[in-house]
Amino acid sequence: MKKLWIILFPLLLLAEPPSVEQLFNIQTVKVKKETTGFKKKFYGLLKADEKNIVNIVPRFSGYIVKLYINRTYSYVKKGEPLAKVYSPEIFKAKEEYINALEFSKKHNDRGMVESAKRKLQLLGISDNEINQYAKNRKIDPYTTIFAPKSGYIFKKEVVEGSSFNAKSPIFQIINLENLWIEAKISEPDIPLILRARRFYFTTKAVSGIFEANHPFLYPVIDPKNALATLRLNVKNIDKKLFPGMFATLYAKSEPKTMLTLPRTAVIRKMNRWYVFKAGEFEGEYEPVDVVIKPIDNKRYAIISGLKEGDEVVNNVLFLIDSDAQINGLF
């Protein structure tokens, strides 16, 4: 590979001729080992985890006879009764099931029984309740709606005595033992986020540091503000955190020891990266092909091509680059 020489003409007006570095302001820097990592701060919002949101939507119409839970944001446990309802459709289906049982007892027709039972199941009646009807041969005109999941009643669309329609939600339960935190990420920060190994956050409302995990970067960028959305899972067993809280999120990488150079010491030509390594004589610089990896907006990690202590040109790469192109070094 050719070497680059910077040749200076003598300056007769000066008593002492300046050095190469003085004339061309050439500065050098040494390759050094650094233990490095990053820590980045973002702002996020706590939200309910979608898989822990349950809408209770009856498959039949009817009337609210009694509300067991009559306040929004009440906490309920799985299996706890929410409301006692009357539905003419359900009452008729129960009667059909009892009649099918009696008919089958005389004519041994299990097909009719299974059909009537299946109808009740499709309307949302539990197997436990159906088995009680089969055992007692007696039906209850009312039907109880139970909580399918533990959590808080975030929505209550009925009051005692009101009617409801099939396909219309009457309760919404949200379990807060797991939450999401969502943060907006600028495009330049996306590579950092993909390399981060730890995420944690703080809130003004609750003291302490909370871990977040399972990062997921939404595969879309908002064209209005050029921001991506990062989502993480948050354990909230003690229920101290609530949806709607603002949080300060930190992304942190694992510290690594690597060879580094400032970005100003590396140039790119023809899809390859080069540095100019100081030669044996003053003013002699040899282009060296290197493999690099960005660390941050100021430094590169040197993967191959140099070793610790090697001295390369820094800051005036435009000068070296121009001369290199003229002399066809690349």
Side-chain angles (χ1 to χ4, degrees):
M1 183 178 286
K2 295 182 180 179
K3 295 183 179 180
L4 173 63
W5 289 82
I6 299 178
I7 304 174
L8 305 177
F9 295 100
L11 299 180
L12 301 179
L13 297 179
L14 298 176
E16 294 183 4
S19 66
V20 173
E21 286 79 3
Q22 288 172 329
L23 278 177
F24 286 90
N25 194 27
I26 292 177
Q27 300 173 5
T28 59
V29 64
K30 289 186 177 181
V31 178
K32 62 180 179 179
K33 234 176 225 186
E34 288 187 86
T35 300
T36 182
F38 71 84
K39 180 180 177 182
K40 189 77 176 179
K41 180 170 72 173
F42 305 95
Y43 296 100
L45 182 69
L46 290 172
K47 299 181 66 176
D49 186 339
E50 288 179 0
K51 68 177 181 291
N52 288 328
I53 300 175
V54 176
N55 286 320
I56 299 173
V57 184
R59 302 173 186 177
F60 51 85
S61 58
Y63 304 88
I64 302 294
V65 177
K66 181 176 178 60
L67 271 181
Y68 297 105
I69 303 297
N70 54 14
R71 290 185 178 88
T72 308
Y73 302 118
S74 297
Y75 184 81
V76 296
K77 294 181 179 180
K78 181 178 179 179
E80 188 174 342
L82 301 176
K84 180 188 287 187
V85 304
Y86 169 70
S87 168
E89 183 180 0
I90 293 296
F91 184 66
K92 182 180 179 181
K94 290 177 182 179
E95 285 186 323
E96 290 175 357
Y97 180 60
I98 296 298
N99 292 335
L101 287 170
E102 295 299 326
F103 183 84
S104 177
K105 187 177 179 180
K106 296 178 180 180
H107 299 87
N108 195 25
D109 187 351
R110 295 301 303 173
M112 180 181 292
V113 174
E114 290 302 319
S115 177
K117 181 179 180 180
R118 185 62 174 163
K119 183 176 181 180
L120 286 172
Q121 290 173 330
L122 292 175
L123 286 169
I125 306 303
S126 69
D127 287 338
N128 183 55
E129 190 174 347
I130 295 173
N131 291 336
Q132 288 297 319
Y133 298 148
K135 180 180 179 181
N136 301 327
R137 292 294 199 274
K138 185 178 179 181
I139 61 173
D140 186 347
Y142 304 114
T143 298
T144 301
I145 296 175
F146 298 93
K149 181 187 285 285
S150 297
Y152 292 91
I153 303 291
F154 268 66
K155 290 183 181 179
K156 183 178 72 69
E157 305 295 344
V158 290
V159 295
E160 200 164 288
S162 65
S163 64
F164 58 89
N165 295 318
K167 305 178 185 179
S168 297
I170 58 175
F171 295 102
Q172 183 184 74
I173 298 176
I174 302 180
N175 186 297
L176 300 182
E177 291 183 359
N178 291 282
L179 297 175
W180 284 349
I181 181 171
E182 290 186 349
K184 297 299 181 181
I185 309 296
S186 64
E187 287 188 60
D189 286 330
I190 291 177
L192 293 178
I193 288 298
L194 296 177
R195 299 205 311 271
R197 290 297 175 266
R198 186 192 173 200
F199 297 89
Y200 59 95
F201 66 92
T202 60
T203 68
K204 291 183 178 180
V206 184
S207 61
I209 296 174
F210 301 92
E211 297 291 330
N213 49 53
H214 303 299
F216 177 71
L217 191 67
Y218 289 169
V220 63
I221 293 178
D222 190 340
K224 296 179 181 178
N225 50 30
L227 294 177
T229 301
L230 175 70
R231 186 186 78 204
L232 299 110
N233 292 344
V234 178
K235 292 289 185 183
N236 186 36
I237 302 300
D238 54 7
K239 305 179 187 68
K240 289 182 179 179
L241 303 171
F242 299 103
M245 281 184 176
F246 288 96
T248 303
L249 176 68
Y250 298 90
K252 193 175 181 180
S253 67
E254 292 181 358
K256 291 184 179 180
T257 301
M258 57 188 71
L259 298 176
T260 65
L261 275 177
R263 283 180 176 251
T264 51
V266 185
I267 59 171
R268 185 178 185 181
K269 283 295 174 185
M270 299 175 64
N271 295 321
R272 297 169 70 181
W273 294 94
Y274 293 89
V275 299
F276 286 89
K277 184 179 175 182
E280 183 179 355
F281 304 101
E282 184 178 17
E284 179 188 11
Y285 299 97
E286 180 182 0
V288 176
D289 191 351
V290 293
V291 178
I292 63 167
K293 182 180 178 181
I295 298 175
D296 50 35
N297 61 354
K298 293 183 179 180
R299 296 171 299 169
Y300 285 128
I302 305 300
I303 307 302
S304 65
L306 294 170
K307 63 181 184 299
E308 186 179 7
D310 284 346
E311 190 173 0
V312 301
V313 174
N314 188 24
N315 293 333
V316 288
L317 292 183
F318 68 91
L319 178 64
I320 306 297
D321 188 27
S322 299
D323 202 296
Q325 292 187 64
I326 292 172
N327 290 294
L329 291 181
F330 296 103

